């Protein structure tokens, strides 16, 4: 089977690396890909929102399966585009249609879904420019800190956690009347602050059956000790050491199952990954957010732990044969640490020559933001490389990732030295 992966980050390199191991794979294409994916498949230079160019590529290379890495093309309706096109409707797409993608594309939609289906989540209300005064009132009723979320996609930057009610009011006004997050912030969800520990769970589903993938914890802040600005993610660990069977059963029964049943009740046709961002508060899991794709850098630890053939699993998902699928997962721990460009998540420079990848032993280097130019690999993004390792526990795995990171170098390279510090 010929397969196309859409995207260009560490997530997509990891998916490519895994699919390339499948005997069911014929040719692998990645669009647009990076210097890492170019080593295992064929990169096609096109934008993930350019549906027409994607269609041409799919037809030209007789691609029968498309895996959508990032959320934007899903929210824009790439799966609907494929279903409606006569020439493409025999091509399977991993990733939900527009309606299902609203679980990530609209915080308000996701909250309404959770309330409707009794899925534990933080108390909330949503507001627009017209109801700003009611928003102020609601803030007065809550206790600090205050959580403000732009309704739409804001590239991971749309959530504000604020200490004082005065500042929360000011920010709410900025979002609703001054378009602080553009269109994404025309509706703002204000919710109760949950004080707990975060973790993420992932399911692959056809909307009816589902397979639970390894769980993970990511580290979003740029600074050590979880300080400073939010990033796409600076590192991840799988499995989450505190997630025992009791907690995982609770998550499946109170969150995963009601979410899948909710999709059915609402007649939302959903095929793809469902990512549950959770807060565990006194042993009770609550949903902070849904994503409708895999996480990055979570994929860099989740997918390497899957021993089953991922292409076989994708085919089972798209052909309605997921029932009774038994996924094999290694009991080993995996960790990944991101090497990022100096300045990220604010301004940074691209085009730095990366050295030392060839010296890495006993870890896998997944490319996140890289570009091959002649025989050099250059940085080409804020997050540049993810160094993934295995170990009997996360500490052993982390030691390997850190030892190998010391061999890699590019100008102003930065990484967090304390992944897993809170565990
Ligand atoms: P989100 O984009 O919804 O995942 O939010 C980004 C981050 O904000 C999460 O990873 C949490 O660390 C934090 N966060 C979001 N909602 C809440 C909440 N209700 N209580 C506490 N922290 C939250
Ligand atoms: N690492 C968080 C995300 O992919 O949304």
């Amino acid at each position: 089977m010929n397969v196309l992966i859409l995207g260009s980050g560490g997530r997509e390199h990891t998916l490519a690396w895994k699919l390339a191991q499948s005997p069911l794979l014929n040719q692998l294409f990645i669009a647009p890909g990076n210097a890492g994916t170019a080593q295992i498949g064929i990169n096609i230079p096109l934008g993930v929102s350019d549906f027409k160019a994607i269609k041409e590529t799919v037809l030209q290379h007789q691609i029968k399966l498309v895996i959508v890495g990032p959320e934007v093309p899903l929210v824009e309706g790439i799966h609907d585009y494929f279903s409606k096109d006569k020439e493409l409707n025999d091509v399977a797409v991993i990733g939900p249609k527009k309606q299902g993608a609203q679980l990530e594309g609209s915080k308000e939609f996701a909250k309404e879904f959770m309330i409707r289906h009794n899925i534990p989540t933080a108390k909330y209300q949503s507001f627009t420019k017209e109801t700003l005064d009611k928003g102020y009132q609601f803030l007065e009723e809550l206790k600090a800190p205050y959580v403000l979320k732009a309704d739409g996609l804001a590239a991971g930057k749309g959530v504000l956690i604020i200490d004082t009610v005065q500042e929360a009011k000011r920010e709410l006004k900025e979002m609703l009347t001054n378009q602080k997050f553009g269109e994404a912030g025309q509706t703002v969800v204000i919710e109760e602050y949950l004080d707990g520990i975060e973790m993420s769970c992932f399911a692959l589903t056809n909307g009816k059956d589902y397979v639970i993938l390894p769980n993970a914890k990511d580290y979003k802040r740029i600074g050590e000790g979880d300080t400073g600005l939010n990033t796409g993610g600076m590192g991840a660990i799988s499995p989450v050491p505190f997630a025992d069977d009791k907690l995982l059963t609770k998550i499946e029964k109170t969150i995963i199952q009601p979410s899948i049943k909710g999709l059915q009740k609402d007649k939302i046709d959903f095929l793809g990954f469902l990512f549950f961002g959770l807060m565990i508060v006194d042993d009770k899991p609550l949903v902070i957010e849904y994503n409708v794709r895999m996480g990055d850098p979570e994929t860099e630890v989740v997918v390497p732990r899957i021993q089953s053939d991922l292409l076989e699993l994708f085919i089972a998902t798209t052909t309605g044969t997921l029932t009774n699928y038994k996924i094999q997962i290694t009991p080993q721990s995996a960790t990944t640490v991101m090497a990022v460009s100096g300045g990220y998540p604010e301004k940074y420079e691209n085009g730095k020559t990366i050295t030392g990848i060839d010296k890495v032993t006993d870890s896998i280097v997944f490319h996140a933001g890289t570009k091959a130019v002649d025989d050099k690999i250059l940085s080409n993004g804020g997050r540049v490389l993810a160094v993934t390792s295995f170990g009997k526990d996360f500490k052993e795995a982390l030691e390997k990732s850190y030892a190998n990171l010391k061999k890699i170098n590019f100008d102003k390279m930065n990484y967090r030295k304390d992944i897993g510090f809170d565990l």
Side-chain angles (χ1 to χ4, degrees):
M1 178 184 263
N2 291 350
V3 176
L4 170 66
I5 300 173
L6 291 178
S8 62
R11 167 180 51 210
E12 288 75 21
H13 186 190
T14 311
L15 289 167
W17 168 87
K18 180 69 181 165
L19 291 179
Q21 296 167 31
S22 171
L24 302 170
L25 180 78
N26 184 19
Q27 277 191 299
L28 180 63
F29 300 89
I30 308 94
N34 59 38
T37 62
Q39 292 167 5
I40 42 182
I42 301 163
N43 282 357
I44 312 255
L46 52 75
V48 296
S49 296
D50 189 348
F51 296 173
K52 212 161 146 268
I54 295 168
K55 172 180 172 175
E56 279 162 22
T57 294
V58 164
L59 295 178
Q60 185 190 345
H61 298 289
Q62 286 151 19
I63 289 160
K64 290 291 169 234
L65 177 68
V66 178
I67 297 128
V68 185
E71 62 278 15
V72 170
L74 293 169
V75 172
E76 288 170 346
I78 190 166
H79 195 154
D80 311 68
Y81 179 90
F82 270 65
S83 303
K84 284 183 194 139
D85 191 309
K86 276 198 204 66
E87 290 177 284
L88 294 175
N89 61 17
D90 68 327
V91 179
V93 178
I94 300 282
K97 293 187 180 159
K98 208 168 183 165
Q99 193 192 11
Q102 285 296 95
L103 282 179
E104 177 164 359
S106 165
K107 303 265 186 208
E108 188 181 36
F109 179 94
K111 293 299 270 191
E112 285 170 354
F113 177 90
M114 289 183 251
I115 302 296
R116 191 158 59 243
H117 301 296
N118 249 320
I119 295 160
T121 188
K123 272 199 306 223
Y124 85 105
Q125 283 187 31
S126 53
F127 302 94
T128 59
K129 200 162 62 184
E130 286 70 36
T131 54
L132 180 61
D133 285 332
K134 290 218 169 68
Y136 291 159
Q137 238 172 334
F138 186 58
L139 284 169
E140 293 283 359
E141 290 164 27
L142 295 172
K143 284 200 289 280
Y146 304 90
V147 183
L148 269 52
K149 301 186 173 185
D151 176 61
L153 290 185
K157 297 188 177 72
V159 176
L160 301 177
I161 299 186
I162 300 166
D163 288 329
T164 69
V165 75
Q166 290 79 5
E167 212 202 319
K169 286 182 180 172
R170 199 164 45 239
E171 285 291 350
L172 181 66
K173 185 158 184 248
E174 276 295 300
M175 286 162 92
L176 291 176
T177 61
N178 290 339
Q179 307 244 329
K180 174 160 180 172
F181 293 104
E183 234 178 88
Q186 284 181 353
T187 298
V188 173
V189 167
I190 301 181
E191 65 180 39
E192 164 199 23
Y193 180 82
L194 299 174
D195 193 4
I197 184 153
E198 281 186 72
M199 64 173 282
S200 301
C201 287
F202 309 88
L204 182 64
T205 181
N206 56 18
K208 187 162 99 13
D209 308 307
Y210 62 90
V211 166
I212 298 179
L213 308 178
N215 54 64
K217 181 164 177 36
D218 87 331
Y219 291 81
K220 287 201 179 83
R221 303 291 199 93
I222 186 71
E224 265 135 47
D226 280 344
T227 54
L229 293 174
N230 257 324
T231 70
M234 296 294 289
I237 285 174
S238 175
V240 178
F242 61 79
D244 55 14
D245 286 345
K246 195 163 156 237
L247 177 62
L248 293 176
T249 304
K250 216 183 270 178
I251 292 170
E252 183 168 6
K253 292 262 178 308
T254 64
I255 290 170
I256 300 179
Q257 285 175 357
S259 296
I260 310 264
K261 286 227 172 71
L263 291 170
Q264 289 166 31
K265 284 187 196 147
D266 291 351
K267 300 206 163 42
I268 299 174
D269 186 12
F270 195 104
L271 192 155
F273 294 105
L274 193 51
F275 165 156
F276 306 85
L278 307 175
M279 187 74 85
I280 315 298
V281 183
D282 301 329
D283 288 332
K284 181 184 156 113
L286 295 102
V287 178
I288 299 183
E289 64 163 352
Y290 288 113
N291 294 313
V292 298
R293 46 154 180 102
M294 280 303 292
D296 194 349
E298 292 90 334
T299 305
E300 288 90 307
V301 290
V302 168
V303 166
R305 290 190 62 229
I306 299 174
Q307 292 170 313
S308 309
D309 181 333
L310 188 62
L311 186 48
E312 183 186 75
L313 181 55
F314 284 153
I315 293 170
T317 310
T318 60
T319 54
T321 53
L322 202 58
T323 339
N324 302 326
Y325 189 96
K326 283 266 174 294
I327 187 168
Q328 301 297 319
I329 293 167
T330 175
Q332 285 204 303
S333 288
T335 60
T336 199
V337 180
M338 273 282 175
V340 305
S341 300
Y344 173 81
E346 297 184 280
K347 215 165 146 289
Y348 59 84
E349 292 163 26
N350 283 331
K352 308 289 187 190
T353 303
I354 304 167
T355 58
I357 296 178
D358 53 331
K359 306 232 162 42
V360 169
T361 49
D362 216 12
S363 292
I364 315 165
V365 179
F366 292 119
H367 292 222
T370 66
K371 187 163 117 182
V373 175
D374 303 325
D375 56 350
K376 283 194 186 134
I377 293 175
L378 306 182
S379 68
N380 190 38
R383 294 190 294 169
V384 178
L385 300 167
V387 179
T388 294
S389 315
F390 288 106
K392 64 177 186 312
D393 53 30
F394 78 87
K395 287 186 182 142
E396 189 181 278
L398 269 175
E399 275 172 29
K400 293 184 195 169
S401 289
Y402 283 127
N404 278 312
L405 270 159
K406 291 208 177 86
K407 303 176 192 167
I408 298 174
N409 190 47
F410 55 89
D411 183 35
K412 303 197 179 84
M413 168 174 145
N414 177 32
Y415 58 90
R416 263 181 73 167
K417 321 262 178 321
D418 71 336
I419 300 302
F421 78 99
D422 54 340
L423 298 171

